[in-house]
Every structure is written in structure tokens, then in C-alpha cells.
Amino acid sequence: MLPDNILFSADPTNDLLAILQKKNYSQVAVLTDENCRRHCYPLLERALPPHQVIEVKSGEEQKNLDTCTYIWQAMTEQALDRHAVLIVLGGGVLGDMGGFCAATYKRGIDFILVPTTLLAQVDASIGGKLGVDFQHLKNHIGVFQVPVMTLLYSGFLKTLPTAELRSGYAEVIKHTLISDRAMWDVIVRNSFTDQDWNTLVRHSVAFKARVTTEDPTEKGLRKILNAGHTIGHAVESYLLGSNRRILHGEAVALGLIAEGYIAEVRGMLSPTDFQQLYRYILSVYGKVALTEEDIEAATTLTVQDKKNKGNKVLCVLQEGIGNARWDCEISPEAVKEALRFYRSLQI
């Protein structure tokens, strides 16, 4: 059973209209970017009452407090009151940032997420994690707040470039690796281009919704969703700060291999399973080029990870395929060794 605030929609125009009519909001604003305004907004526009559109530039590099200031300023100039709603139409970056702006504007107004990317639909829009990057540290400033509704429409996936679809697929892979061996066996039999996206989106949403409902503020079980993210986020943050941005899914894919290596070294993941894991991920994503300097710098950034406790760097490690353990302490030396292993792999 999905929570009441998650809706798979075959008709997002009418479903959004029904939500707005039921809530009877005083004002409506739409936050989007230039791509979603062109490709997705026209579908919803006719369902909306009189409203204002706040447009920001797309991209992870825009996910910062400067952009939040622009959004808050626009909401202020539109005189949105505490009975208004912000509809966030976009991918994971926009959902994280728009939700954060809504949750903090006048101590919080309602917001509706309409995720338009695979990454946002299977991961970012589920569970109420909101926030922005700070000094190139991923999601360093943020809050927990669930939207009044997340409206999931698979038709938006047809508007995506292949690179964006592939980025979201990393979270699908992650969900199978930590929860469902049978589904992992299904996806590895097919290439990236031959996946059944409707089935995979529903599987991921159901899994993440169950986990985040049981542990909404990440005190225990929810930490499992950070698989691949401790090392992946560190590399992503470092490269973003070096003007060598990679997509979030590429970083997670790298992180799943690197953290899988540590699990294999510790005897938690069999050599056979680990080989299958990294070969499949490499077949989809290729490799991110890393120098020894990159490895050193990214390793340093793992100490800033939000899952850490005291001076301990904590991450999620595979316990076979379909299971994982959270709060596993890893050393800087282990991170460097894992990234060097990743760098050594041949495609």
C-alpha cells in the first residue's frame, strides 16, 4: 500500500485539478526550469487556476542558497500567504530545492511535487528529504518535510535525454541491490534500453515509500537508502567544485562499485556477486575518469557525509545481493583503495 500522498496518474491534468479543488488554496505558484517549462508545463497549464510561474535555471550547480533566495524573493513579491501552494514541476534538483523553499517560507506552506525525471520519480520525490548544496557539499542544508502530494506520471519520462534516464536508473539498481535479489536478476538480464520502466518505477516507489514511512527521519532503516552515496557523493561534490560535473546517477553507480569492493574485501559480498555487480554497472555507465589527486580529494570529503557520527565515516555495505547493512565504519585508506580499484577496472 502506498501512502495517501503518492499518486500514480494516467491523467495528471485532471488529477492535479482535483487535488487543488479539494484543498481550496488561496494562491497557486509553479516552480520549474526552462526545460520542464517547455516540455512538461503545457500539459498541466490548463488544469491550473490563475497562477504565477517561477522559472530557474536547470542543473545541480543551481541547487544552492542563491537560487533559494531568488525563489523566496519571487514568492514574496507574489505575496503568497501561508494558505498558498507551490507546485514543483521538475527533476530531483528542483524537487529538493523547491520543497525546501516551500517548507521554510513563512515557516512552511504546502507543496506538491510533480517529478519529471526517472531519478526524481523513483527516489528524490519520495520520503520528504529536502535541501540544497552548500560550498559544493551535497544536500548539506535541508529539512525533512513531506509534500501534500507527489504526482507520478510516466509520460514525462518520454521527454528525457538518454543521459538523464540513465542517471535515474542508478537508483533503481540501488533499490534492487539492497532489497530484492529477484528484481536484480530481472534487470541484469536486460540492457538499459530494454527495461520495463513502469514496473521498475512502481517497484522502487513502493520500496522507498515503505522504508521512509517506517523511518521518516533516518534514525535506522532509512539509512539503507544511502547505499553508494557515501563515496559517490564525495566524488560528485569534488568534481562539481572542480567544474567537472557528473550526473548524480553516475556518482551513485561509481559509489555502488567502490562500496561493493569494500564489502567484498570484508567477506560480506561474494566475489561472484561483486563481479556481476560491477560488470553490469560498467556496461550501463562506463567509468568516471579519476586521477590520484581526485581520489585523495574525494576521500577527504567523506568526513562531511551526513551519515557520519563523531569522527567515524559510516556507509552502507552490501550483504550479498538483496541485502545491506547500514552504519558500517570505513577508513580513509579503505575509500582510497576502493577508488583505486574502480580506476583500475577495464570496460
Side-chain angles (χ1 to χ4, degrees):
M1 287 288 292
L2 290 176
D4 291 340
N5 70 329
I6 298 175
L7 175 65
F8 282 98
S9 175
D11 187 353
T13 305
N14 285 330
D15 285 338
L16 182 58
L17 179 60
I19 294 165
L20 295 175
Q21 288 176 338
K22 181 178 179 180
K23 291 288 189 176
N24 194 29
Y25 289 110
S26 60
Q27 296 147 290
V28 175
V30 176
L31 174 66
T32 191
D33 61 32
E34 74 280 7
N35 296 319
C36 293
R37 188 166 190 173
R38 181 184 316 117
H39 297 294
C40 304
Y41 172 69
L43 178 65
L44 302 181
E45 184 179 11
R46 64 180 180 272
L48 299 175
H51 62 280
Q52 299 291 324
V53 176
I54 304 170
E55 182 179 316
V56 297
K57 292 181 180 179
S58 59
E60 181 76 29
E61 60 274 16
Q62 307 300 327
K63 189 180 173 183
N64 55 51
L65 289 173
D66 288 339
T67 309
C68 289
T69 298
Y70 173 82
I71 295 169
W72 287 320
Q73 182 64 37
M75 295 165 75
T76 301
E77 290 175 355
Q78 294 172 25
L80 297 188
D81 60 32
R82 295 182 69 181
H83 306 283
V85 65
L86 182 68
I87 299 170
V88 185
L89 177 67
V93 167
L94 212 56
D96 284 359
M97 182 167 55
F100 174 69
C101 288
T104 50
Y105 177 78
K106 295 190 175 181
R107 295 200 179 101
I109 65 171
D110 281 1
F111 62 99
I112 296 170
L113 296 182
V114 187
T116 59
T117 66
L118 181 61
L119 177 63
Q121 291 192 5
V122 301
D123 186 65
S125 67
I126 309 298
K129 270 189 179 180
L130 311 169
V132 295
D133 304 340
F134 181 71
Q135 296 180 355
H136 303 299
L137 297 172
K138 287 280 293 181
N139 303 318
H140 200 61
I141 308 296
V143 298
F144 286 98
Q145 180 63 52
V146 296
V148 294
M149 184 61 68
T150 296
L151 195 64
L152 299 165
Y153 173 58
S154 62
F156 287 138
L157 301 183
K158 298 174 183 177
T159 70
L160 295 178
T162 300
E164 288 290 347
L165 197 64
R166 186 183 289 115
S167 179
Y169 185 50
E171 297 289 351
V172 173
I173 291 172
K174 179 198 76 177
H175 290 154
T176 66
L177 285 172
I178 63 177
S179 74
D180 193 336
R181 174 82 196 222
M183 185 60 79
W184 164 258
D185 290 341
V186 169
I187 67 172
V188 296
R189 288 198 293 267
N190 297 302
S191 68
F192 161 72
T193 55
D194 292 328
Q195 298 297 331
D196 179 351
W197 296 117
N198 280 326
T199 297
L200 293 181
V201 169
R202 287 180 178 273
H203 178 272
S204 283
V205 169
F207 168 65
K208 186 168 185 183
R210 177 178 64 80
V211 170
T212 56
T213 298
E214 182 174 333
D215 179 19
T217 56
E218 203 168 293
K219 303 300 183 186
L221 177 63
R222 183 169 179 160
K223 295 178 183 180
I224 201 173
L225 298 172
N226 292 305
H229 284 62
T230 297
I231 295 178
H233 265 176
V235 172
E236 184 181 7
S237 296
Y238 171 69
L239 294 179
L240 182 65
S242 304
N243 293 317
R244 293 157 58 196
R245 175 179 175 258
I246 59 174
L247 293 175
H248 177 68
E250 294 172 317
V252 171
L254 177 158
L256 289 171
I257 293 175
E259 292 171 18
Y261 173 82
I262 296 174
E264 194 266 346
V265 167
R266 294 187 181 184
M268 299 168 65
L269 185 63
S270 74
T272 300
D273 282 344
F274 178 52
Q275 187 175 84
Q276 184 189 46
L277 182 157
Y278 74 69
R279 284 184 171 175
Y280 182 71
I281 291 175
L282 288 178
S283 74
V284 177
Y285 294 94
K287 277 175 57 181
V288 176
L290 297 175
T291 66
E292 184 63 24
E293 180 183 355
D294 297 336
I295 291 172
E296 293 283 346
T299 299
T300 299
L301 286 180
T302 59
V303 302
Q304 292 286 352
D305 193 89
K306 295 180 292 302
K307 300 179 294 299
N308 295 346
K309 187 173 183 179
N311 294 321
K312 297 179 180 179
V313 176
L314 303 177
C315 79
V316 178
L317 295 180
Q318 294 289 143
E319 284 191 305
I321 302 294
N323 292 286
R325 185 192 308 169
W326 65 86
D327 283 350
C328 298
E329 184 177 358
I330 57 174
S331 67
E333 291 72 26
V335 175
K336 292 176 187 177
E337 183 181 340
L339 287 173
R340 287 170 185 146
F341 169 80
Y342 173 84
R343 186 179 60 183
S344 74
L345 289 171
Q346 301 298 313
I347 301 176

